[in-house]
Amino acid sequence: MTDLKTRTGTELEWTELDQKAVDTTRALAADAVQKAGNGHPGTAISLAPLAYLLFQKVMRRDPSDSTWLGRDRFILSNGHSSLTQYLQFFLGGYGLEIEDLEQLRQYGSKTPGHPEYGHTDGIEITTGPLGSGLAASVGFAYASRFERGLFDPDAAAGDSPFDHYIYCVAGDGDIEEGVTNEASSLAGTQQLGNLIVFYDDNQISIEDDTNIALSEDVAKRYEALGWHVQTVDWKSGADYHEDVPALYAAILEAQRVTDKPSFIVLKTIIGWPSPTLRNTGKIHGSAMGEAEIKGLKEALELDPEKTFFVEPEVLAHTRRAVGRGQAQHAEWNQGFDAWAEANPERKALLDRVLAGDLPEDAFADVPEFPAGKAVSTRVASGKVINGLAKRFPEFWGGSADLAESNNTTIEGVGSFLPPERATAMWKANPYGRVLHFGIREHAMGNILNGIVLHGNTRVFGATFLIFSDYMRPAVRLAALMKAPTIYVWTHDSVALGGDGPTHQPVETLWALRLIPQLDIIRPADANETAAAWKQIMSRRMGPAGLALSRQNLPVFERGEGEASGDVFASTDGVAKGAYVLAAAKKDVPDVILIATGSEVQVAVAAREALASEGIDASVVSAPCLEWFDEQSAEYKESVLPAAVKARVSVEAGATLGWAKYIGDQGRAVGIDHFGASADGDFLLQEFGITHEHVVAAAKESLGR
Amino acid sequence: MTDLKTRTGTELEWTELDQKAVDTTRALAADAVQKAGNGHPGTAISLAPLAYLLFQKVMRRDPSDSTWLGRDRFILSNGHSSLTQYLQFFLGGYGLEIEDLEQLRQYGSKTPGHPEYGHTDGIEITTGPLGSGLAASVGFAYASRFERGLFDPDAAAGDSPFDHYIYCVAGDGDIEEGVTNEASSLAGTQQLGNLIVFYDDNQISIEDDTNIALSEDVAKRYEALGWHVQTVDWKSGADYHEDVPALYAAILEAQRVTDKPSFIVLKTIIGWPSPTLRNTGKIHGSAMGEAEIKGLKEALELDPEKTFFVEPEVLAHTRRAVGRGQAQHAEWNQGFDAWAEANPERKALLDRVLAGDLPEDAFADVPEFPAGKAVSTRVASGKVINGLAKRFPEFWGGSADLAESNNTTIEGVGSFLPPERATAMWKANPYGRVLHFGIREHAMGNILNGIVLHGNTRVFGATFLIFSDYMRPAVRLAALMKAPTIYVWTHDSVALGGDGPTHQPVETLWALRLIPQLDIIRPADANETAAAWKQIMSRRMGPAGLALSRQNLPVFERGEGEASGDVFASTDGVAKGAYVLAAAKKDVPDVILIATGSEVQVAVAAREALASEGIDASVVSAPCLEWFDEQSAEYKESVLPAAVKARVSVEAGATLGWAKYIGDQGRAVGIDHFGASADGDFLLQEFGITHEHVVAAAKESLGR
């Protein structure tokens, strides 16, 4: 193996062909946006030297294999400048051709407006929402250290096939968004030496000169956050000078610093050398116009009459990246094969993790909870997490400073922290499995995305359900990418009590259920919680969020199979999203009570009260409506028979979405207003989340 | 008038009674949480000296009048420590008594778990979601400068009745949340000299020692953000020493710095002098237990047998704050009266703004848009904004770096910026009316809250609709407080085109409509946009968000009144939230097509197509479902007759919530999946937002 710190050669070779290749990408960027009619040419033009340097001279990547484990990762946080990446994918032979550039921002093309994970081969993560990429790059760096610990913990630093760099390019928007300050603070705490971030400091955003909104000293801020900071100023001389060797030297220096993440401020002129639009907000996000493009090409000494043109010898030169990458890959394979031979068990683990398979007896240590005793689902979840952790070494996670409240601590495995971050309460281990995000929910969300995308480990993050709002943009990105992150959201209703309306979710469950490709699971008792976790660990189709109670809930006495008579169903139905927990006496119930989470017990009590009045009700526990929606029509009919129009939903939150399940004749028992600071049980009474109210609603629905 | 810079006396008087009062509040904090059974005693105990110093010695406030315009504002960003504020309200005679402290966190009490605006007299803003208070305090400081410019622009610095300080207390959570970095960067850019923030640097959060997640140099970071930073270290000596004079001196120094916001790092031991729980995460958020409270009281030399006890002479001493405040108020009144006499027009403006009244001919300059020409609702909104701005001098706002896309620039009034922040594109004026938030949506949301709460001016903030997710926690707080902030959210569907799924809202409209007390308005054409703005300016019942199109939409030809025959209704119905835009031929339509925003034209086209097949449809334009829900049953019946079960909703987004309006027999035309990068018109076709599809859905709903 080549040592990670010295892997990039110390001499930069930068020929006329290299420069011509860089200049060619500038022209192609202008052409592509012009043809599309809209897009973002400016940064793609001015960052062309950086992008080329990284993809052709610095990063270890194999254009012919985007799945190579040993590759350096590249994250374009300023995702609107997707051309920056596409153009290097074109030059470097990653599978994009001129035709793809011509199809920029067209339906189904490989070159959408923002880089899309799972859509264009080689894209590591979907970016565009500003700040998300830089924040996720911290997660990539977390993952690279964790995976090294999992698979090759004893190798010398920089010596393992699991060692590589995470490179991230960010713009003003990324720097201004608060989520990057959150994530960058964690990166400093974690001493992520393999993370190198470039800040394209061009002092231009959409509203032109950033002096109106960004006057801070960004470099000093990153120093304060514990980063190694360098500035490469291409504007320092009388004329703008794209000093590539200086940038290269800074990258080498950043590679040598192994105990801090590195931040390289690159001062550029956006759109340079575009004749009139450079250094203006206009070139950020609009087509430049024919005249300006002509001027650009002339300034670059390219033929202004040609569009989408690359000289064959330029392309031949840059496509040599494929051979270089394959050679690097082959060299890496030797080290990897040696590791695999010496570590057959770890190799088997790696194969399983990459395949997304379950371990043997995956759920053997997940507890069953005895009926009768009251347990909150958050406490049950904590026990399940610890049961899973014994069988899934790739399972890790933590909380945004609410570990004890969220019940998310894996015991006995140490915190993922450098040694000097140990405290009286927490043991520190660079390869530990307990994550401490601080009070930074949004960064947590993006870091989870980065972790999952990097190496397919299973990771969870936790906070109060209400604060899912803080992390919502990152949750949406996970859903868009179908990244199987896991969220542990506790304190899931007004029943949390005295903290009051700022902390009490009301609209939150439905607001989350609205996000496509996101599963929201709200288990009714401890054993549903265990079943939910098992299903989450078995599925890998996208993100999943658990909504868990603060308050204790009875653990239902259950039978072995389906509900029958007075015997409640087993938890097998949890995986189907909704199931008949308590059957009606008749084949067809008079009324269906459908409830989730802590309100299932309310529905159960209502069923008994209705029975005493001769009304035959079934109780449907519906922990995950997304899973239920996937079921066959037959199964759905068995749970919610179409003939039964009398239905009541019970959920201590907004009622809006329930109409889909209860129909016109149904009644929704819920809370469509903000909560209040008071005892939780009191509030449930006050707000009508009671079996009496459910009984009344059932009668209303029955027209009685 | 006393000059603002020298208003606080230079000599601190700190007697034994003062110290006893401070110590009494510590015991009361412990007692209150113990009685409630849960809550947050730790910070209330250790910050007692700071809170007492501010409320008794520093701030200019009149406990008998919480509405006094000239008061210094106090914002407790670490809202969980609400006792910090309640205890000073008790000591200082603000209306809280021992009984209120005994009712901590009880339903309806004046002492809820977190400070609630509009609930407890004297609370300036609801806090609790971390970071929100500090970010909003920047908005308070924005407002104080803007209002000074509106009412008394020519007074010497510190000399106006509109000059005062904004004091904010923040904890580790506030510092870790990214939103405060966003807002603090803006505060530095804006040189907010009257903003003084205290950072309670106790190195303890819920997961105990913050070394696991907060290792950055916070003081240096705030220097980098352009703040004046001081550190007062009570832990620097061999023993912990609460050096109140040093803290006082730092406050005086902060007051003297008028060109930068001030940040005072106060290093404390949480819970000091609690014998065993101090300096631990345990004392942050739990009742301490009887033994610990006894130890605390003994350490304070208070009687451990007494609970909720304050010595009469202590209370008599601290209640003198009422008289002092009234005297300050009376002195201020002289200056204010002199100003009022010299500035009768400005005084009338002030009275109107405080009353929340409209100006005369408020809407005289709001344009009417001629039918026929296609105009996007974002462009129409921009023209309306400029029309309103002529009549409402208290109307200001801007964008999170998308001014041109959001069409939010008030022309000719200058940007709200210190002179040295002027750029080629933007004129700077400290009292300007155009706001530049940078790419910081979350801070924008909180700053808007602070602005509205400070002095009742009308302010708007803008971004793309999808990025309402970034500001969602702040929007929720506005709704909870019923603060009439205004959001201009443009690019409101997949029709925005090539930017792709990261930028295309799908679930967003319903996710926002789920928030209680928030109005979401999606106008169908330019004239509905004008009507919507008028209604927003007339209502002040809570926040309102406009969802506006990127793409051009036809301006409907309308009649003068209700829809009749082929004559479309006037825009009068906009204020009712939904109205019959195009009537059916018969009294009772065969089918109702209900649509919002850009999809109303689709419904109109479908109505024509249906007519050609002999199906009689009405088109209901529903710009604001919240306003519609408020209407009388009669009005609702006139728009959506119960007898008509055949209904189709049309909205280019998630369909979830439409069931409420279209019922079991209805059909929802919408988009329940993520978007794609492509031309907007193409996507609408591809995703079935077409009149053909609406026609088919109408027939399905009719059972044909």
Side-chain angles (χ1 to χ4, degrees), chain B residues 356-381:
Chain B
D357 291 339
L358 297 175
E360 271 189 65
D361 298 325
F363 305 124
D365 294 313
V366 172
E368 271 189 56
F369 297 87
K373 198 184 156 205
V375 185
S376 67
T377 51
R378 66 176 169 140
V379 164
S381 170

Side-chain angles (χ1 to χ4, degrees), chain A residues 97-161:
Chain A
E97 301 298 342
I98 282 285
E99 307 84 78
D100 298 304
L101 300 176
E102 288 175 338
Q103 291 298 308
L104 181 72
R105 297 165 74 92
Q106 304 308 307
Y107 190 67
S109 81
K110 291 182 189 170
T111 50
H114 292 84
E116 294 181 20
Y117 173 79
H119 180 91
T120 308
D121 193 43
I123 298 292
E124 304 281 0
I125 182 171
T126 298
T127 52
L130 289 169
S132 63
L134 172 45
S137 75
V138 175
F140 275 81
Y142 271 50
S144 67
R145 189 170 86 205
F146 178 77
E147 291 165 27
R148 183 191 209 282
L150 204 55
F151 302 122
D152 199 16
D154 304 322
D159 234 17
S160 164

Side-chain angles (χ1 to χ4, degrees), chain A residues 1-5 7 60 67-73 140-166 194-195 331-354 431 454-457:
Chain A
M1 297 301 299
T2 318
D3 183 287
L4 188 69
K5 293 191 291 296
R7 205 175 59 200
R60 187 171 68 174
T67 68
W68 174 23
L69 272 188
R71 72 192 182 280
D72 291 331
R73 305 304 201 272
F140 275 81
Y142 271 50
S144 67
R145 189 170 86 205
F146 178 77
E147 291 165 27
R148 183 191 209 282
L150 204 55
F151 302 122
D152 199 16
D154 304 322
D159 234 17
S160 164
F162 295 93
D163 289 333
H164 53 259
Y165 291 105
I166 314 296
N194 67 335
L195 175 61
E331 185 197 348
W332 177 91
N333 277 344
Q334 293 177 18
F336 180 76
D337 292 344
W339 165 83
E341 198 172 345
N343 298 277
E345 284 184 23
R346 285 174 175 153
K347 175 63 164 59
L349 174 61
L350 173 66
D351 289 343
R352 183 177 65 70
V353 169
L354 292 177
Y431 304 144
H454 183 278
N456 220 23
T457 58

Side-chain angles (χ1 to χ4, degrees), chain B residues 675-698:
Chain B
S677 175
D679 173 74
D681 288 337
F682 176 91
L683 287 178
L684 291 174
Q685 290 283 330
E686 180 73 17
F687 297 156
I689 310 298
T690 62
H691 71 270
E692 294 89 346
H693 194 183
V694 174
V695 166

Side-chain angles (χ1 to χ4, degrees), chain B residues 64-86:
Chain B
S64 64
D65 183 359
S66 65
T67 68
W68 174 24
L69 272 188
R71 71 192 182 279
D72 291 331
R73 305 303 202 272
F74 178 79
I75 294 147
L76 186 77
S77 194
N78 47 352
H80 53 271
S81 188
S82 56
L83 275 169
T84 294
Q85 201 160 357
Y86 299 149

